[in-house]
Amino acid sequence: MGRPERPSNRKRSVGNVKKKCVDCVVEGVTTKRKVTPPGPRCDTHHRARKKQRKSQSFARRLEETYNITEEQYWEIYEYQGRRCYNCPNKGTYKRLSVDHDHACCPGRTSCGKCVRGLLCQPCNRYLGHIRDNPEALLNGVEYLNDPPARKVLKWDT
């Protein structure tokens, strides 16, 4: 004889029952959108919800770190022509970094009055590496226009 069958605590799915998306039900959408486990939402509403959370997180970070609103960020972005102020890189794949004057607010946070503009990550890091020194920027321009090695190696003859 075999073993006696034990009752299972697991819930069994009966037939091919499809769950309905909680947001589709609220909106009154009657299409047969499949809910992707483990969540209660269809892919369309899941993506929309994820985008909304990302935007809220970005807005909260702007206010906590730089003391500016998300609307002010996008105003600066439009004013700068939707690109890094320092170079031709456009902020299409990644958002541009907020640059602020560390002489006013040392550290990671800003009062909001010392925000200078939006830069791509390499330009923002470069300013950080040279410690916002304008003389270092001018020396860099001179270095690129007239490299000292060309004079020593006499390449311009």
Side-chain angles (χ1 to χ4, degrees):
M1 297 195 30
R3 266 170 127 177
E5 208 172 298
R6 284 198 229 162
S8 175
N9 291 339
R10 294 185 201 169
K11 291 183 180 177
R12 295 177 191 237
S13 59
V14 179
N16 195 6
V17 178
K18 290 185 179 180
K19 292 182 181 179
K20 291 183 179 179
C21 169
V22 293
D23 291 334
C24 286
V25 171
V26 170
E27 292 175 6
V29 176
T30 57
T31 58
K32 305 271 183 180
R33 291 184 179 166
K34 196 167 79 174
V35 172
T36 310
R41 291 182 174 78
C42 64
D43 288 338
T44 305
H45 282 108
H46 175 71
R47 281 192 298 272
R49 183 96 170 197
K50 188 176 178 181
K51 187 176 181 180
Q52 179 189 22
R53 278 194 314 263
K54 197 173 182 180
S55 178
Q56 287 172 341
S57 174
F58 176 66
R60 188 172 42 252
R61 184 174 173 273
L62 284 174
E63 289 193 27
E64 289 173 358
T65 309
Y66 301 107
N67 212 6
I68 62 171
T69 64
E70 187 178 13
E71 290 77 24
Q72 290 172 320
Y73 174 90
W74 293 115
E75 283 179 35
I76 297 168
Y77 181 76
E78 290 296 327
Y79 181 80
Q80 291 183 188
R82 298 177 167 202
R83 66 176 198 84
C84 170
Y85 192 78
N86 193 43
C87 72
N89 286 345
K90 296 211 180 242
T92 53
Y93 301 109
K94 270 186 150 181
R95 289 189 183 115
L96 295 171
S97 301
V98 177
D99 176 46
H100 74 281
D101 188 1
H102 289 273
C104 175
C105 297
R108 295 195 169 273
T109 59
S110 163
C111 65
K113 295 176 183 171
C114 56
V115 170
R116 294 188 284 209
L118 305 175
L119 301 174
C120 66
Q121 207 171 36
C123 288
N124 197 29
R125 283 187 177 167
Y126 177 68
L127 282 180
H129 286 299
I130 64 168
R131 306 276 190 253
D132 296 339
N133 184 350
E135 190 177 316
L137 274 175
L138 295 174
N139 288 342
V141 170
E142 185 180 329
Y143 173 83
L144 289 174
N145 288 333
D146 190 23
R150 288 194 178 162
K151 292 177 185 169
V152 172
L153 299 174
K154 299 181 176 49
W155 287 349
D156 291 337
T157 56

